[in-house]
Amino acid sequence: YESQFIRPSQILSVLGPTQKDILKSLENKLITAYDFIKTKNYNDALNIFLNLTDIYSTIEINTNCAILLEMTGKYESAIEYCNKIITHDPENYAAYHIKGTSLGLLKRYPDALDNLEKALSINTTSEVHYNLGYIYMISEEHDTRKAIEHYNASLDLDNSFPSAHLNISICYFNYGDYEKSLQHVDKTIILDPNLSKAYS
């Protein structure tokens, strides 16, 4: 049987007759994964990316794994992948952002805020301001002032973000500023007429 083992010099020929064939096979796997994402079959896409990490443990593939793990509710595993990415790239915005939102979903709010603030220090985006606002809004401290501050920053960067308008409306309502609350909830309905929470 020893004579039948694959020798290192044979590896590529076993995977395919040419490098082009090997890369084509990999490309097809990735196309299939992205097709699954488009059709919201996130678990099927995740399985492909997890299998690829055994061979191609790149930052990009690990990031896709972290995103899909979070989207499928596997928050602890998403955090593990983010930590892997941060080990190789300590200034990786996506890793801190995904880790922060995953920690928030696990209700570990102080750690969530730390990671989201780190993400913000690397790249100022509407999404990270939105998530910081959300954590301040739902955490035990209920820091409505900081929530409003981050939602406003999010809307300064992207004024067509219905969830940010809706949540800042709730914050203003809780503050007793009903005029501002109405302005933002009206904007939410214009942007997303099917958002039932806005009407309520």
Side-chain angles (χ1 to χ4, degrees), residues 5-17:
F5 286 136
I6 300 165
R7 292 188 295 278
S9 61
Q10 295 176 305
I11 292 292
L12 288 180
S13 64
V14 169
L15 294 174

Side-chain angles (χ1 to χ4, degrees), residues 27-188:
E27 184 186 7
N28 288 339
K29 282 278 182 198
L30 288 168
I31 288 168
T32 303
Y34 287 117
D35 284 343
F36 280 137
I37 290 169
K38 282 181 199 168
T39 55
K40 300 188 178 180
N41 293 312
Y42 300 125
N43 280 306
D44 292 326
L46 175 60
N47 288 334
I48 291 173
F49 279 110
L50 290 175
N51 287 327
L52 286 173
T53 57
D54 291 336
I55 307 167
Y56 307 99
S57 189
T58 65
I59 285 174
E60 291 77 12
I61 288 175
N62 284 328
T63 301
N64 278 296
C65 287
I67 293 166
L68 288 162
L69 284 162
E70 184 184 52
M71 290 175 78
T72 53
K74 302 172 182 78
Y75 307 125
E76 293 288 0
S77 297
I79 292 164
E80 284 174 26
Y81 270 87
C82 291
N83 288 337
K84 245 191 244 188
I85 296 163
I86 291 163
T87 300
H88 295 289
D89 181 6
E91 295 297 304
N92 190 288
Y93 162 81
Y96 287 106
H97 194 180
I98 299 160
K99 185 177 177 181
T101 53
S102 292
L103 286 162
L105 289 160
L106 290 168
K107 299 185 179 179
R108 288 155 58 183
Y109 300 126
D111 290 339
L113 290 171
D114 286 346
N115 280 275
L116 290 169
E117 290 286 0
K118 176 64 178 174
L120 187 64
S121 73
I122 298 165
N123 190 12
T124 303
T125 67
S126 178
E127 290 78 17
V128 75
H129 272 299
Y130 170 83
N131 283 307
L132 278 162
Y134 185 71
I135 297 296
Y136 278 118
M137 182 176 158
I138 65 168
S139 63
E140 291 89 349
E141 291 82 12
H142 294 296
D143 194 332
T144 306
R145 183 187 61 79
K146 281 193 176 178
I148 289 172
E149 184 183 309
H150 282 290
Y151 285 135
N152 272 322
S154 175
L155 291 167
D156 284 343
L157 293 165
D158 180 6
N159 197 39
S160 62
F161 197 164
S163 295
H165 281 289
L166 177 63
N167 286 356
I168 199 171
S169 170
I170 293 166
C171 290
Y172 279 127
F173 183 87
N174 292 337
Y175 245 15
D177 191 337
Y178 305 122
E179 283 298 325
K180 280 188 180 174
S181 180
L182 276 171
Q183 286 169 20
H184 283 284
V185 82
D186 285 344
K187 180 72 173 174
T188 306

